[in-house]
Amino acid sequence: EDQVTQSPEALRLQEGESSSLNCSYTVSGLRGLFWYRQDPGKGPEFLFTLYSAGEEKEKERLKATLTKKESFLHITAPKPEDSATYLCAVGADKLIFGTGTRLQVFP
Amino acid sequence: DSGVTQTPKHLITATGQRVTLRCSPRSGDLSVYWYQQSLDQGLQFLIQYYNGEERAKGNILERFSAQQFPDLHSELNLSSLELGDSALYFCASSPQLARSGNTIYFGEGSWLTVV
């Protein structure tokens, strides 16, 4: 059975303090690893899709990387507006989500 | 704005009642998905439709059903509601079936509160 584990559950950062979020996965065959951002009471907002080990994608202060067992979401010099829950998912049509990392960035 | 539209945004109803949640996918998207998000369960896949046909099923209760209409909008029907059904229900859509580059976009959700 496909599984996704995210860590840490919560992360508090000072503005400008870079860090990484982890997503470990177990799948029978990786068909895609997805990162979403979710604000309270809102729908998940698509960030990245990664398909193969070694792949990297960037968007503003975010960079996602993928290995055969895990993915990292690196946040460089975060700002308060980056505060949200970041969700990782694997699959194709049926996405299996992790429970997310709740990020808070303080000025 | 993802382009996926869900109505209603909020709904309060009593136990035992039945409700219908509606979803309009992004223009041109053939696949529609329904997910449930509760505080203790996280995001859980319920069901997927592709071009009107049921494609995949997750842990969807027998009291729940869905359909996708010829115009590609979808409805999720929840019946004999229980307190535990209170959750955010998300609709998502994608252009086609699973393959490289097939991104799934989520709507803003329908908040269901069962009292």
Side-chain angles (χ1 to χ4, degrees):
Chain A
E1 184 178 329
D2 295 353
Q3 283 191 326
V4 176
T5 303
Q6 291 188 247
S7 62
E9 285 188 15
L11 183 62
R12 292 164 57 100
L13 297 174
Q14 202 72 32
E15 184 173 3
E17 180 187 0
S18 302
S19 188
S20 297
L21 314 182
N22 177 264
C23 171
S24 298
Y25 62 89
T26 305
V27 296
S28 54
L30 184 65
R31 303 179 71 184
L33 185 137
F34 301 80
W35 282 99
Y36 286 86
R37 168 194 169 127
Q38 187 175 27
D39 293 299
K42 302 288 188 181
E45 175 189 345
F46 172 75
L47 294 174
F48 304 108
T49 309
L50 302 167
Y51 291 100
S52 56
E55 190 174 358
E56 299 182 353
K57 288 192 177 175
E58 287 188 66
K59 179 181 178 180
E60 296 180 356
R61 295 178 292 281
L62 301 177
K63 179 180 178 180
T65 62
L66 181 65
T67 72
K68 287 186 178 180
K69 293 184 179 181
E70 58 192 350
S71 177
F72 292 93
L73 184 66
H74 307 277
I75 304 178
T76 302
K79 298 182 178 182
E81 52 262 42
D82 294 322
S83 298
T85 296
Y86 290 84
L87 298 167
C88 170
V90 296
D93 294 322
K94 175 183 174 180
L95 293 182
I96 306 299
F97 280 86
T99 52
T101 293
R102 189 173 65 255
L103 174 66
Q104 292 178 293
V105 182
F106 295 90
Chain B
D1 183 1
S2 68
V4 179
T5 303
Q6 290 187 246
T7 57
K9 292 194 186 317
H10 298 90
L11 190 57
I12 301 175
T13 190
T15 54
Q17 294 298 305
R18 172 190 168 96
V19 298
T20 297
L21 309 181
R22 182 187 168 99
C23 169
S24 294
R26 296 187 326 148
S27 178
D29 283 2
L30 298 178
S31 253
V32 170
Y33 314 78
W34 287 97
Y35 283 79
Q36 179 192 56
Q37 187 174 40
S38 54
L39 284 175
D40 57 345
Q41 291 277 339
L43 262 168
Q44 301 287 318
F45 170 76
L46 295 178
I47 198 164
Q48 178 203 3
Y49 278 81
Y50 176 75
N51 204 20
E53 299 290 326
E54 183 182 305
R55 183 71 184 181
K57 233 174 183 177
N59 296 325
I60 187 167
L61 299 172
E62 285 192 10
R63 299 183 285 109
F64 296 0
S65 64
Q67 53 184 330
Q68 186 180 26
F69 295 87
D71 67 352
L72 301 178
H73 91 270
S74 177
E75 292 181 356
L76 179 67
N77 300 295
L78 315 174
S79 61
S80 302
L81 285 167
E82 302 175 359
L83 295 177
D85 297 327
S86 296
L88 249 177
Y89 291 85
F90 288 107
C91 174
S93 74
S94 66
Q96 53 201 351
L97 294 175
R99 66 185 66 182
S100 294
N102 189 44
T103 298
I104 298 175
Y105 294 93
F106 283 77
E108 290 299 294
S110 292
W111 277 97
L112 173 65
T113 302
V114 183
V115 297

